[in-house]
Amino acid sequence: MSRSPSFSVRTEVSPSVDSESLQRWIVAFCAVRFDLEQGQLIEECYPQGCLSHDEELEIAYSSFPDSVSQHQNRSSIHDCIFFFRVCRRLNSQAGNANEFSPKSLDEKGVTTCANASKYLYGYVFNRQRHDERLKRGGEQKSVVILSHNPYSSVFRPLLQIVGPLFFDIGKKALEHIAAYVSKWPAPVPGKVMDLPIGNATLKVNLPPALSLPVESGGSFEEAASSVAPFVPNNQSVPHGLFHDSDLFGSFRGLLLQLWLLWELLLVGEPMLIIAPTPPQCCEAVASLVSLVAPLLCSVDFRPYFTIHDPVFAHLNSIQEGEVFPPMILGVTNLFFLKALRNIPHVISVGSPPPNSNRVSLSTRSSTGRLSSRPEGLGFQQLSLKKFSPSSILSAVKLRRDGPLCLMTEHKEAIWSTYSAATKPDTSILNRLIDAGVSPRVEESMSVVNNEILRRHFLELTTNFLAPFSPYFRTTTPSEGSSPYVDPPSLPPFDADEFLANLSARGPGKFILKRMRSNWLDLYRRFLNGPNFMPWFQRRRTVAEQEQDRLWRQARIKTDIQQLISRLSELETVDSFNAIERLLLREMQLQQSGKGGVDSTATCQKLRADLQAVFNVLPKDMQQLMLSNPERASLLQGSPELTKLPGRPLIQVAVVSPTSPSYAITAIYIEQYTPSSRCRITSLLAKVDGNSF
């Protein structure tokens, strides 16, 4: 979204900002200046005092292009937008905040951020202004939006407003935009939201909660989505992170390798993505993360990584033969090719900007000719280019020289020894459209191609995860059974048993058609990788909550009178006990503030059901049950009991701790005939909370 020409703020009016509401979306707005003598400095931060000194330094260093990646054109003003992700050390102390210990990598190598619980996403609007009258021929500043949420669909268009506005009116732009944002409703993952900003409105799709990292505040309370091999027809609804990234544009020169990249990310292999500029770099990382939707990506990804990141010192110390942690690092500085030479997979994407001092050797699979109509990027074209004598010689030279050949000329290429199980889908490649060189047509065709690729990889990932669906399958009470018992547990998961069963029955036709014979090894690597357990645990949590919701719904709809009319006296006591337990549990949830929106209605229904069951019990049984003061309080408001002939009427009173209720109950039982005493004792033994 471009900045609206009519967008303006009344600078004479002091804005009112609700800090708590602002934090739901944004941590801070920053303005960062590159000082020739002091380096990167944060000159404005709103709200003030929300960042530590070490965080300010890290954010400042991440908010500018590396000097090596800056292009050399002499246009007066150049703007670019990119984003980064850094670890926030919330409890860091001065002096050790920038220390990074291998202990902050968990047992699978996933970065956990020592002394921290959240990441910060920084969305950057960078402006380079060339002026020969200034030292070094120009200056540069960046406006940064910091958030705990990876909402690129929100913050990129917002940057296009706040960035130019800041360079027009200065610090007041940050305050006024913050005031607008603080009036937004709370973010609702997975929904389309209209967010007013001045005279404009941002219409955005937020990624679903199941795809959000835990530190981003993703909720498990949404209904469980099916993992069966089913792909919704409405592709405008996002299914994962960065659904708006340009997947086709980022990897246009490597289309045949997309299935390899999908598999590398699926199993959590470490990757270094190098591009000439920060926008190309972060777009490629975001597109790669989006490939595995709807899977929760638990690999630590850094869209724009610099040598100033505290993690770099640890990564730089990894020796040959040591395991590299599963990370996706997007870089522009060629120094990383030497510093991180032990990383097993290197991907080079993008093309140098005009007038750059880096040579571009394009390997894109386009026809390179103008046409009056779009042409398909046919597999035959790709195949001919891939297997021509010149391309074979180039591939041999690339493998021999390794990634260090990028030091002299830029190429779109992949260096990896990984043997993929997934085969490229040629039918998908044949559907892609080559728009030629027209920028306007290029943008439109990229949208079409992105939809084609996203739908395919969404279907591929969904079918890959389908064999796990039995472990998330929910149940509802069968017809005629009582919904007041506890629902059955979800099936337990054992990796060896799962692989054995999968080997016997297969993963399904869709996967078998698109994978080689070693497909079972891919599942084994996935189970041992960093993505499986966080995704599996979250899906189990959602499935358990969905099952609980279905059983709660069944209890609300149950006709208690019809149910108890079919029960024996013993089953009636069982039902009373079960309803009482459910009511107490619901009341505890209410008191702790964890009750759902229907908690009050559920309590009222359970209380009414408890009373209904109580009313059909024999009168002598009713009186004995009321000897328990807690149970009596649940039954307050019940109709007055009639005194049975020859039986004492029990007056409900609070029993002191020195006079246990079971002793009083025993006295009451003695007042009945021997046969009645046996029956009552046996029924009361079924009720929790009573001892005899």
Side-chain angles (χ1 to χ4, degrees):
M1 170 180 173
S2 302
R3 180 188 169 195
S4 172
S6 62
F7 183 85
S8 62
V9 297
R10 299 176 59 188
T11 56
E12 71 278 2
V13 178
S14 179
S16 175
V17 179
D18 184 343
S19 299
E20 185 175 343
S21 298
L22 179 66
Q23 291 288 313
R24 297 182 304 196
W25 291 93
I26 290 174
V27 174
F29 293 89
C30 296
V32 190
R33 173 172 56 90
F34 185 84
D35 189 275
L36 294 178
E37 304 192 357
Q38 301 181 61
Q40 293 91 327
L41 295 173
I42 292 184
E43 60 179 10
E44 300 290 350
C45 183
Y46 187 86
Q48 295 181 354
C50 58
L51 301 173
S52 68
H53 175 70
D54 298 295
E55 287 174 335
E56 287 186 353
L57 285 177
E58 189 172 352
I59 290 165
Y61 280 121
S62 301
S63 300
F64 290 99
D66 282 324
S67 58
V68 178
S69 69
Q70 294 184 57
H71 50 80
Q72 305 298 316
N73 68 45
R74 309 311 297 171
S75 61
S76 58
I77 294 179
H78 176 76
D79 296 335
C80 70
I81 291 177
F82 59 95
F83 76 105
F84 59 84
R85 182 181 191 242
V86 295
C87 202
R88 187 171 198 190
R89 286 160 298 282
L90 297 176
N91 299 324
S92 61
Q93 300 294 327
N96 67 357
N98 280 337
E99 292 180 3
F100 180 83
S101 167
K103 293 181 180 179
S104 60
L105 296 176
D106 68 12
E107 59 183 6
K108 290 188 180 294
V110 181
T111 309
T112 57
C113 296
N115 301 323
S117 61
K118 295 191 176 183
Y119 284 93
L120 270 182
Y121 296 84
Y123 297 83
V124 183
F125 181 95
N126 174 256
R127 171 165 290 184
Q128 298 178 357
R129 185 173 69 90
H130 297 279
D131 190 338
E132 300 295 343
R133 296 169 296 180
L134 301 175
K135 287 184 179 181
R136 297 192 182 181
E139 66 174 1
Q140 59 174 324
K141 284 186 178 182
S142 292
V143 178
V144 186
I145 298 176
L146 297 174
S147 176
H148 288 139
N149 303 308
Y151 295 157
S152 57
S153 60
V154 176
F155 299 124
R156 284 186 179 181
L158 185 60
L159 269 179
Q160 292 180 305
I161 294 176
V162 68
L165 191 63
F166 173 81
F167 289 104
D168 286 346
I169 65 175
K171 178 183 177 180
K172 290 183 179 179
L174 307 182
E175 299 175 358
H176 283 269
I177 296 297
Y180 285 120
V181 174
S182 70
K183 293 179 174 61
W184 289 353
V188 183
K191 301 296 183 181
V192 178
M193 301 191 70
D194 291 324
L195 306 175
I197 184 83
N199 299 343
T201 298
L202 305 181
K203 191 177 187 66
V204 299
N205 283 320
L206 297 187
L210 282 176
S211 69
L212 291 173
V214 176
E215 72 273 357
S216 296
S219 170
F220 293 163
E221 294 181 355
E222 74 282 353
S225 57
S226 173
V227 289
F230 168 78
V231 181
N233 292 323
N234 187 0
Q235 291 297 296
S236 63
V237 177
H239 299 279
L241 291 182
F242 310 123
H243 58 278
D244 56 339
S245 59
D246 187 4
L247 175 60
F248 174 76
S250 296
F251 295 102
R252 183 173 179 180
L254 302 170
L255 292 177
L256 277 170
Q257 307 299 329
L258 280 179
W259 288 263
L260 168 64
L261 296 177
W262 172 81
E263 196 168 316
L264 290 175
L265 182 57
L266 191 73
V267 301
E269 285 287 316
M271 287 179 271
L272 180 69
I273 297 182
I274 188 163
T277 66
Q280 292 177 347
C281 171
C282 72
E283 191 74 6
V285 172
S287 297
L288 184 57
V289 171
S290 73
L291 266 186
V292 295
L295 177 70
L296 169 68
C297 179
S298 296
V299 174
D300 183 10
F301 60 91
R302 305 299 179 97
Y304 179 55
F305 189 73
T306 72
I307 59 175
H308 303 286
D309 194 297
V311 180
F312 172 70
H314 169 68
L315 299 180
N316 192 35
S317 67
I318 296 177
Q319 302 298 317
E320 188 173 355
E322 295 181 355
V323 178
F324 208 95
M327 301 180 73
I328 305 174
L329 303 177
V331 302
T332 58
N333 194 335
L334 297 175
F335 169 74
F336 284 105
L337 293 173
K338 294 181 178 180
L340 303 182
R341 57 189 174 277
N342 293 321
I343 197 166
H345 314 287
V346 178
I347 301 99
S348 173
V349 298
S351 57
N355 302 321
S356 171
N357 55 3
R358 294 172 67 179
V359 179
S360 173
L361 180 61
S362 177
T363 59
R364 286 190 172 180
S365 306
S366 61
T367 59
R369 66 186 181 198
L370 293 174
S371 175
S372 58
R373 63 180 182 85
E375 295 188 4
L377 277 175
F379 177 67
Q380 292 182 348
Q381 297 173 2
L382 296 173
S383 301
L384 291 174
K385 188 170 185 65
K386 181 180 180 182
F387 298 112
S388 65
S390 60
S391 63
I392 293 176
L393 290 175
S394 298
V396 172
K397 186 175 184 299
L398 275 176
R399 176 170 293 189
R400 183 191 64 203
D401 295 343
L404 288 177
C405 68
L406 296 173
M407 301 290 288
T408 56
E409 59 183 359
H410 183 78
K411 304 168 179 150
E412 291 181 289
I414 294 179
W415 289 269
S416 174
T417 58
Y418 182 88
S419 179
T422 314
K423 297 179 291 187
D425 193 319
T426 57
S427 64
I428 297 300
L429 295 175
N430 283 324
R431 291 172 57 194
L432 299 181
I433 300 172
D434 185 10
V437 295
S438 170
R440 179 175 298 179
V441 178
E442 180 82 18
E443 183 178 354
S444 300
M445 293 303 100
S446 288
V447 172
V448 175
N449 289 337
N450 281 329
E451 288 295 320
I452 294 172
L453 291 172
R454 287 203 193 287
R455 182 174 181 83
H456 168 73
F457 281 100
L458 174 65
E459 191 174 14
L460 179 63
T461 308
T462 303
N463 277 274
F464 178 82
L465 299 175
F468 297 97
S469 59
Y471 300 97
F472 313 127
R473 190 167 293 149
T474 59
T475 60
T476 55
S478 59
E479 187 176 354
S481 65
S482 172
Y484 299 103
V485 298
D486 290 330
S489 301
L490 297 180
F493 180 82
D494 179 85
D496 293 334
E497 181 183 355
F498 169 80
L499 290 173
N501 292 336
L502 187 63
S503 177
R505 70 174 186 270
K509 293 182 180 179
F510 186 94
I511 294 297
L512 285 176
K513 180 181 178 182
R514 289 162 177 81
M515 291 194 178
R516 300 180 176 91
S517 59
N518 61 337
W519 58 266
L520 191 62
D521 291 334
L522 177 58
Y523 276 96
R524 186 176 289 108
R525 288 193 294 265
F526 175 63
L527 291 176
N528 294 327
N531 286 321
F532 169 69
M533 192 51 68
W535 168 79
F536 185 82
Q537 290 176 341
R538 183 176 287 197
R539 284 305 317 269
R540 290 276 282 195
T541 300
V542 172
E544 288 168 352
Q545 291 181 346
E546 173 68 1
Q547 181 162 271
D548 180 67
R549 185 188 68 82
L550 292 174
W551 282 68
R552 286 162 60 95
Q553 197 173 60
R555 292 171 194 136
I556 291 178
K557 294 181 178 179
T558 295
D559 184 339
I560 191 65
Q561 297 293 346
Q562 184 179 356
L563 177 66
I564 60 181
S565 66
R566 302 192 301 264
L567 301 179
S568 65
E569 190 174 19
L570 190 59
E571 290 172 331
T572 303
V573 174
D574 282 337
S575 297
F576 183 93
N577 182 32
I579 296 173
E580 180 186 38
R581 185 174 64 254
L582 292 170
L583 177 57
L584 290 172
R585 184 190 305 168
E586 194 67 37
M587 292 170 63
Q588 289 175 352
L589 289 174
Q590 272 192 327
Q591 292 172 0
S592 63
K594 298 179 181 178
V597 292
D598 61 344
S599 184
T600 302
T602 301
C603 280
Q604 292 175 350
K605 178 63 165 61
L606 289 174
R607 193 182 294 274
D609 290 349
L610 187 69
Q611 183 65 63
V613 176
F614 178 82
N615 289 341
V616 300
L617 292 173
K619 295 300 182 181
D620 49 0
M621 190 69 184
Q622 292 179 355
Q623 295 181 42
L624 289 174
M625 283 189 168
L626 289 174
S627 64
N628 184 316
E630 290 185 0
R631 183 172 297 116
S633 67
L634 291 178
L635 294 167
Q636 281 180 354
S638 61
E640 185 178 344
L641 299 174
T642 58
K643 185 178 182 301
L644 297 178
R647 299 289 186 269
L649 178 63
I650 296 176
Q651 299 297 325
V652 178
V654 176
V655 181
S656 69
T658 57
S659 301
S661 61
Y662 73 85
I664 295 178
T665 304
I667 294 174
Y668 293 145
I669 292 176
E670 289 300 321
Q671 301 179 46
Y672 294 92
T673 64
S675 60
S676 296
R677 287 203 302 268
C678 291
R679 180 178 62 83
I680 294 172
T681 301
S682 124
L683 291 174
L684 286 175
K686 300 290 295 180
V687 183
D688 293 343
N690 288 273
S691 302
F692 301 98

